[in-house]
């Protein structure tokens, strides 16, 4: 379970929107809203990535997809190990020539 967020989602969205719509520096917007500037900076970067303005980081959708693919990969590896331990090959045939 992730740690609770220090700043509410509404404040995050408002801060990011203000930086992006006004062009004001992150530090100024952060100070005005009572947010640490180093907390606001990655939120702005993520919003830019999600809107296709940056290609140096994954979008939220891509991160979610990657997380799901990693989970699925781990599950398939576990299933494969179980099959190997049971003596079955990938076709479901016994490896024991008998």
């Amino acid at each position: 379970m992730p740690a609770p967020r220090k700043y509410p989602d509404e404040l995050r969205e408002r801060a990011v929107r203000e930086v992006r719509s006004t062009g004001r520096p992150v530090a100024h917007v952060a100070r005005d809203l009572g947010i640490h500037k180093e907390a606001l900076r990655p939120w702005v970067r993520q919003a830019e990535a999600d809107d296709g303005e940056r290609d140096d980081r994954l979008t939220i959708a891509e991160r979610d997809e990657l997380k799901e693919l990693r989970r699925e990969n781990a599950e398939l590896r576990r299933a494969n190990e179980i099959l190997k331990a049971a003596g079955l090959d990938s076709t479901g045939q016994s490896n024991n020539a008998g």
Side-chain angles (χ1 to χ4, degrees), residues 69-83:
L69 289 171
R70 285 179 174 164
R71 186 200 60 75
E72 183 179 333
N73 191 17
E75 186 177 310
L76 291 170
R77 286 178 190 268
R78 283 190 299 271
N80 196 28
E81 289 302 316
I82 291 169
L83 289 174

Side-chain angles (χ1 to χ4, degrees), residues 10-53:
E10 297 80 21
L11 179 59
R12 290 169 162 250
E13 292 166 9
R14 177 179 170 205
V16 168
R17 189 171 48 249
E18 188 167 331
V19 168
R20 297 187 73 209
S21 66
T22 66
R24 292 179 60 214
V26 167
H28 295 180
V29 173
R31 184 185 60 236
D32 291 349
L33 296 175
I35 301 169
H36 194 280
K37 67 182 179 186
E38 295 307 322
L40 177 53
R41 197 174 312 279
W43 304 342
V44 172
R45 287 186 187 132
Q46 188 63 58
E48 291 169 347
D50 290 344
D51 289 342
E53 298 170 16

